[in-house]
Amino acid sequence: MIVGFIQNSPRFGEKQENFSQIATLAKGIIADLLVLPELFATGYTFTSKEEAHQLAETPDGITAGFLKQLSAETGAIMVGGFIEQEGDQIFNSAIMVFGDNVIGTYRKIHLFNKEKLWFSAGNKQFEVHHVNGMKIGMMICFDWIFPEVTRTLALKGVQIIAHPSNLIMPYCQSAMVTRCLENRVFAITANRIGRETRGDDDFTFTGSSQITCVNGNILSAATTEKLCVNTIDIDIHHADNKSVNQYNDLFKDRRIDFYL
Ligand code: ACM
């Protein structure tokens, strides 16, 4: 399976310009799964709830339409972040698209920092989607700091986690080594680059998007500063084997009587 990420640098609020940047980056790429960052078309640093509402969409909006077009061009399942509207609520969501179909959305359950002012916390369970020969789950950025997220997806049978991100702290990329190793799953952390200075906030996003293997090896890593598309060929079935040696199996050895 050819899997990868697109590391972009969106301009706040300029969806069409941000789509164009990604379309240019993805030109000629053929893959099975491509992951884009969190909120890849809107930018991240909102100054009011109204501003976030104005950029929100339903899962049949223009961002899903752009991902469908990209899926047709690349052959890949596409995953990326968007602001999802449902009734009066908006969520920091990720959407998975394959061909002309929306496979599902995930609504970020662990909101980071001022996201709590703009978004409702996710209200749906984690799902594992069986698509294109892979078992794929989604989590978003700060979810990495809660090991329960990767573990829940792993226990539900995930082979690869699509992890759209807008990271500003320096810890996630190395933490994903442990997340993948302790669950024997693959993960694609797609991060953005660039700086957003809006309202009281001044955020520099850390890039360094990464594909992490079931044994904790980093299979592909981007720089902190460059736009890029990285893809690699993986054997997804490595994620099905949870044994560490003849005597230890990561799932069978769990002692759930002793855990909270
Ligand atoms: C983050 O969750 N965007 C840090």
Side-chain angles (χ1 to χ4, degrees):
M1 295 287 177
I2 308 290
V3 302
F5 56 77
I6 301 179
Q7 177 165 291
N8 75 334
S9 181
R11 192 130 77 96
F12 187 90
E14 300 296 333
K15 286 188 192 175
Q16 290 301 340
E17 182 182 325
N18 299 331
F19 292 156
S20 297
Q21 181 188 68
I22 289 163
T24 305
L25 283 168
K27 222 170 206 54
I29 301 287
I30 299 293
D32 296 296
L33 172 64
L34 287 172
V35 184
L36 283 156
E38 179 182 13
L39 300 172
F40 73 87
T42 58
Y44 180 79
T45 315
F46 305 97
T47 55
S48 69
K49 201 168 178 138
E50 290 67 42
E51 202 173 56
H53 264 275
Q54 274 161 20
L55 292 165
E57 299 175 37
T58 54
D60 58 2
I62 57 167
T63 297
F66 169 68
L67 292 175
K68 287 175 187 175
Q69 179 193 321
L70 220 51
S71 179
E73 283 167 20
T74 59
I77 301 160
M78 300 295 312
V79 177
F82 77 119
I83 306 173
E84 182 179 5
Q85 174 129 33
E86 188 184 58
D88 293 343
Q89 289 186 299
I90 56 171
F91 299 91
N92 181 348
S93 289
I95 187 166
M96 187 185 301
V97 166
F98 188 39
D100 221 18
N101 299 311
V102 172
I103 306 298
T105 65
Y106 162 67
R107 297 170 174 171
K108 187 177 187 178
I109 63 167
H110 301 107
L111 297 173
F112 178 72
N113 198 358
K114 287 188 187 168
E115 290 173 33
K116 292 195 177 192
L117 304 182
W118 328 133
F119 301 117
S120 298
N123 56 3
K124 298 199 297 188
Q125 296 298 319
F126 289 100
E127 279 186 273
V128 175
H129 301 281
H130 296 222
V131 200
N132 205 12
M134 281 179 279
K135 297 177 190 162
I136 311 167
M138 295 182 275
M139 66 182 201
I140 300 176
C141 204
F142 193 53
D143 281 332
W144 70 265
I145 211 166
F146 300 90
E148 295 88 346
V149 174
T150 314
R151 177 48 56 98
T152 299
L153 283 166
L155 290 173
K156 288 188 169 192
V158 88
Q159 293 168 317
I160 187 160
I161 297 176
H163 182 206
S165 297
N166 271 193
L167 294 159
I168 52 177
M169 297 193 296
Y171 314 115
C172 171
Q173 287 87 344
S174 29
M176 287 311 291
V177 168
T178 306
R179 294 289 165 276
C180 289
L181 177 65
E182 68 198 359
N183 291 286
R184 289 192 60 86
V185 296
F186 292 94
I188 304 175
T189 301
N191 195 19
R192 60 164 288 184
I193 58 168
R195 181 174 174 187
E196 277 181 3
T197 311
R198 306 193 76 252
D200 299 333
D201 293 314
D202 181 355
F203 293 138
T204 298
F205 299 92
T206 59
S208 307
S209 297
Q210 160 177 315
I211 304 173
T212 316
C213 187
V214 299
N215 58 8
N217 284 347
I218 296 170
L219 301 176
S220 178
T223 69
T224 53
E225 277 147 25
K226 292 209 177 94
L227 303 173
C228 66
V229 185
N230 284 19
T231 59
I232 51 154
D233 195 358
I234 59 165
D235 180 351
I236 196 78
H237 295 292
H238 284 315
D240 299 333
N241 177 4
K242 303 301 180 192
S243 78
V244 177
N245 57 46
Q246 193 183 350
Y247 300 101
N248 292 112
D249 179 288
L250 289 178
F251 286 2
K252 291 189 191 130
D253 285 357
R254 293 175 70 235
R255 299 293 307 277
I256 54 173
D257 311 355
F258 290 88
Y259 308 153
L260 282 179

